[in-house]
Amino acid sequence: MAGIVRSVVTGVGGYLPERVVTNAELSTRVDTTDEWIRERTGIHQRHQAADDQPVSDLAVEAARRALEAAGRTPADVDLIIVATTTPDLTFPAVAAIVQRKLGCPIGIAFDVQAVCSGFVYALSVADGFVARNRAKCALVIGAETMTRLMDWTDRTTCVLFGDGAGAVVLEPGEGQGTTADRGLLGLALRADGTKQDLLYVDGGVSTNRQTGYLRMLGNQVFRHAVVNISEAVTAAAADAGVEVSDVDWFIPHQANQRILEGVAKRLGIDETKVISTVAIHANTSAASIPLALDHGIKDGRIKPGQLLLLEAMGGGLTWGACVLRL
Ligand code: UT7
């Protein structure tokens, strides 16, 4: 096949706020225990942004690290997409604030809002620019301050989430149109708006002009998660033309260790191929996949040339998966 352009990940970076909140600390604030949280979710701790640290600051730090890993500078960046549900302001987009703070030249900058699936959605949107040579150096960032959306009297939600940001640099790369190419190879994105009541925030500009709090019927979301994610993983692998068993590393959204294990079991994936950071990061929504990717690269497990599968499900409901070769 003739050469084609692929969107290639050339650098990855992550940033976690300094403050760590342990389960033990939370158990002094709400009626919960370290044991319950570990057993039901696998979470041991989460990071929390400082009061004066907006989500754009987290995004900027992750972006700086991704650019450094890619051997690029802010001057090279012509597209910024931030996946977030917790923006600094209703507008401008966090991406435009990141552009200003990083000192990037005039280019394209906007946010994508698909909650926990936001990073997979944002990657697919960025691919629309990069693989058409309409962007030469894209920053795709997942960044969240989920702790700002918590009702700290609701033990069923406040123990689950954390703050952080992860970023990748995407650049066009020449491929042969085969599964050996580096870059984004396959995608499956889904949404089912009829399931809104299972996971939502009870405030917004156009309703009550409040930020609102995250509300979730956790056990019902859980029931949908394993089935939906498994279907999307299978569809993304088929779209890429690979078998699920060909994948070197599964990098899931980190909501619950039991969901990670349920998906792996359903698809016959060896659990040693699943990158899990849920214990140390908790659920950082759109940031969790790039943070897990960064974690797996930093500890030496994920290597250039390997086949990766990213998957997520979240509010909307939205869910999706994508296959890429690093
Ligand atoms: O990222 C977006 C997608 N989100 C998800 O994928 C989250 C999916 N859901 C989950 O991860 C799990 O459903 C949870 C971790 C949220 C809850 O686990 P569960 O095993 O489904 O528990 P449950 O909601 O059925 O609640 C079991 C019990 C209840 O008590 P009763 O009614 O049995 O007396 C809860 O009140 O656990 C109680 N409970 C708690 N106990 C101590 C709920 N939260 C807590 C808590 N500490 N923090």
Side-chain angles (χ1 to χ4, degrees):
M1 194 187 274
I4 63 163
V5 181
R6 300 277 198 191
S7 304
V8 180
V9 172
T10 56
V12 179
Y15 172 77
L16 291 155
E18 211 173 299
R19 176 157 150 66
V20 171
V21 179
T22 61
N23 293 346
E25 181 181 337
L26 279 184
S27 69
T28 65
R29 290 197 234 157
V30 284
D31 180 20
T32 191
T33 61
D34 177 45
E35 192 189 9
W36 189 96
I37 301 170
R38 281 179 193 243
E39 273 179 14
R40 299 293 180 117
T41 71
I43 296 166
H44 297 188
Q45 61 170 49
R46 72 285 296 141
H47 290 250
Q48 185 169 351
D51 287 343
D52 61 355
Q53 205 175 21
V55 78
S56 61
D57 280 5
L58 278 52
V60 161
E61 200 46 50
R64 273 194 223 286
R65 293 173 187 187
L67 285 169
E68 198 182 320
R72 300 289 179 210
T73 70
D76 298 316
V77 175
D78 54 2
L79 168 66
I80 304 173
I81 304 179
V82 177
T84 190
T85 316
T86 50
D88 295 24
L89 303 166
T90 301
F91 75 79
V94 176
I97 300 173
V98 168
Q99 185 202 40
R100 168 172 60 79
K101 288 185 175 175
L102 277 177
C104 300
I106 287 176
I108 307 166
F110 60 95
D111 293 352
V112 163
Q113 213 269 43
V115 202
C116 299
S117 316
F119 188 74
V120 177
Y121 268 70
L123 269 184
S124 79
V125 175
D127 183 51
F129 291 90
V130 177
R132 283 172 182 76
N133 273 320
R134 287 181 177 143
K136 294 276 176 238
C137 182
L139 271 172
V140 183
I141 306 168
E144 300 279 18
T145 46
M146 293 304 285
T147 62
R148 310 270 220 267
L149 285 179
M150 293 302 116
D151 171 354
W152 291 102
T153 65
D154 177 9
R155 68 175 184 175
T156 70
T157 53
C158 74
V159 302
L160 304 174
F161 293 87
D163 303 335
V168 302
V169 176
L170 269 192
E171 298 182 59
E174 195 69 28
Q176 295 306 311
T178 73
T179 59
D181 290 349
R182 288 186 72 200
L184 196 63
L185 301 176
L187 267 171
L189 299 179
R190 313 271 187 259
D192 177 2
T194 68
K195 303 290 187 306
Q196 172 179 323
D197 292 350
L198 304 189
L199 177 52
Y200 65 100
V201 169
D202 63 3
V205 183
S206 190
T207 49
N208 57 8
R209 303 185 196 186
Q210 306 288 316
T211 304
Y213 295 108
L214 183 143
R215 305 295 178 200
M216 177 163 70
L217 299 173
N219 48 13
Q220 293 196 44
V221 175
F222 193 103
R223 261 181 247 137
H224 288 283
V226 175
V227 176
N228 286 351
I229 291 169
S230 299
E231 186 278 327
V233 166
T234 308
D239 189 49
V242 301
E243 299 295 328
V244 170
S245 56
D246 295 334
V247 173
D248 293 302
W249 294 106
F250 291 83
I251 303 153
H253 167 51
Q254 309 283 324
N256 188 320
Q257 185 61 30
R258 289 188 294 141
I259 296 177
L260 271 57
E261 288 165 7
V263 171
K265 194 171 167 204
R266 195 178 172 97
L267 295 175
I269 297 165
D270 185 344
E271 275 180 37
T272 60
K273 290 170 130 192
V274 181
I275 304 286
S276 176
T277 52
V278 67
I280 51 174
H281 299 168
N283 183 344
T284 58
S285 187
S288 86
I289 289 177
L291 274 170
L293 175 61
D294 183 57
H295 187 80
I297 291 172
K298 292 270 154 54
D299 70 17
R301 280 179 292 172
I302 303 176
K303 298 186 180 71
Q306 288 184 326
L307 195 63
L308 313 182
L309 197 147
L310 284 43
E311 49 92 335
M313 191 187 91
L317 296 178
T318 58
W319 63 101
C322 70
V323 175
L324 64 91
R325 190 173 293 285
L326 198 60

